[in-house]
Amino acid sequence: MIVEAAGRLFFGSGFARVSMDDLARELGMSKKTIYRHFPDKRSLLAAVLDRQFTAVERTLEAATEEAEGRPFGVRVQRFLIAAGSELGRIGAPQLATGRGGAILRQYVEQRVDAVVYRRLDELFREGHRQGLLPAPPELLSEITRGALERLLMSELPRDLDWTAADLLRATVDTVLYGAIRPTGQGIGDEQPRAVIPTARDDDQEVGP
């Protein structure tokens, strides 16, 4: 009960603006009772985020298990849609960009990285090891992270009359398969591919 009430106040008013007195009034109990369970406000914040991200983690694990054995693109898609839905549900993007105070932002960034992005990084590394992704997995992770966070805070779903899930699917399709489709208007046509620089290219000097 304490954790649930603290979550409403921390996420609504901001961690820095909520005192233990505020929480005690919200709950109709004394601060002494709260301190019996949580020695300070930071430990209470940790409990709030643990509860939120435990639920996120369960959802991601379920999505991963459900997509096991499916094509790689489907596995990435299912994971990102689940991650986007859960992060949107708890308001993680808004919290990570400042709403709620610096301490809350730091906690949220750490937990999102541990629960979501490390799993995503490993998924892309697996695809790279299998020869399915010619681009560096680190690049794909960075692009996808930025797209996911941006879409969750964007007005684009409303502007395009698409759901956030539709946009995430389009993002995965673009990142994994490219934005330009082959036209099929000639056997000599080639599908443009990204040029991945090599160490040799980097070492070359431009002559006068």
Side-chain angles (χ1 to χ4, degrees):
M1 186 171 62
I2 293 172
V3 170
E4 184 176 346
R8 288 197 305 270
L9 292 179
F10 289 164
F11 293 159
S13 301
F15 176 74
R17 296 180 179 178
V18 177
S19 68
M20 297 300 264
D21 287 318
D22 295 329
L23 183 57
R25 281 194 296 270
E26 175 76 10
L27 289 164
M29 64 176 61
S30 68
K31 284 196 299 182
K32 184 177 180 180
T33 302
I34 298 175
Y35 284 125
R36 189 178 303 138
H37 298 279
F38 302 98
D40 52 41
K41 199 165 70 163
R42 286 194 180 211
S43 65
L44 181 52
L45 173 62
V48 168
L49 292 178
D50 282 344
R51 182 181 183 184
Q52 294 276 15
F53 280 98
T54 294
V56 172
E57 198 161 11
R58 282 197 300 265
T59 299
L60 295 184
E61 288 174 353
T64 300
E65 291 175 2
E66 192 273 335
E68 191 69 31
R70 303 292 296 275
F72 181 75
V74 173
R75 293 171 59 199
V76 175
Q77 183 187 83
R78 296 286 175 81
F79 179 86
L80 283 176
I81 291 172
S85 298
E86 286 297 289
L87 293 180
R89 179 182 64 79
I90 68 174
Q94 293 84 356
L95 295 170
T97 54
R99 196 189 78 193
I103 295 175
L104 185 54
R105 181 176 67 246
Q106 183 181 18
Y107 269 83
V108 170
E109 288 173 346
Q110 291 172 349
R111 296 308 301 274
V112 169
D113 186 68
V115 172
V116 178
Y117 292 138
R118 289 183 190 176
R119 283 180 166 84
L120 180 64
D121 293 346
E122 180 53 38
L123 192 55
F124 281 138
R125 283 194 293 267
E126 178 187 339
H128 189 67
R129 287 193 298 267
Q130 294 176 1
L132 301 173
L133 299 175
E138 297 83 1
L139 174 62
L140 294 174
S141 291
E142 198 69 20
I143 292 171
T144 310
R145 288 184 188 207
L148 176 61
E149 293 177 0
R150 178 63 180 159
L151 284 175
L152 289 172
M153 300 180 63
S154 174
E155 295 295 325
L156 197 57
R158 180 182 59 79
D159 294 342
L160 295 179
D161 195 25
W162 284 20
T163 67
D166 290 334
L167 287 173
L168 283 170
R169 289 188 184 94
T171 299
V172 174
D173 189 54
T174 301
V175 170
L176 295 183
Y177 307 115
I180 302 176
R181 299 296 190 189
T183 61
Q185 294 180 349
I187 59 175
D189 294 344
E190 287 189 6
Q191 173 71 1
R193 295 178 62 84
V195 178
I196 308 300
T198 64
R200 181 180 175 184
D201 295 333
D202 294 337
D203 291 339
Q204 291 178 347
E205 295 183 0
V206 179

